[in-house]
Amino acid sequence: MEHVLVLLRHGHSEWNLSDRFTGWTDIPLTGVGLAEGATAGRRLADAGYRFDEVHISALKRTRQTAAVVLAA
């Protein structure tokens, strides 16, 4: 059985607009970031990837990214 690990970073966040480092500050994604996640999800699906598990941090931007990737 083949196992594949896929690592994704969250998309564009509100603080990217002002060039601020977010660290553990719980900043949401912008519309651009949500679109980036959806695009990544479609590309992964088109390449045949299916996911059994998803591990994310508790931060809003990571939860939003995972949701749009999996929805795509």
Side-chain angles (χ1 to χ4, degrees), residues 15-38:
W15 278 14
N16 289 132
L17 295 173
S18 58
D19 199 28
R20 295 173 67 184
F21 176 73
T22 56
W24 281 101
T25 306
D26 203 8
I27 304 301
L29 295 179
T30 61
V32 170
L34 292 169
E36 290 170 339

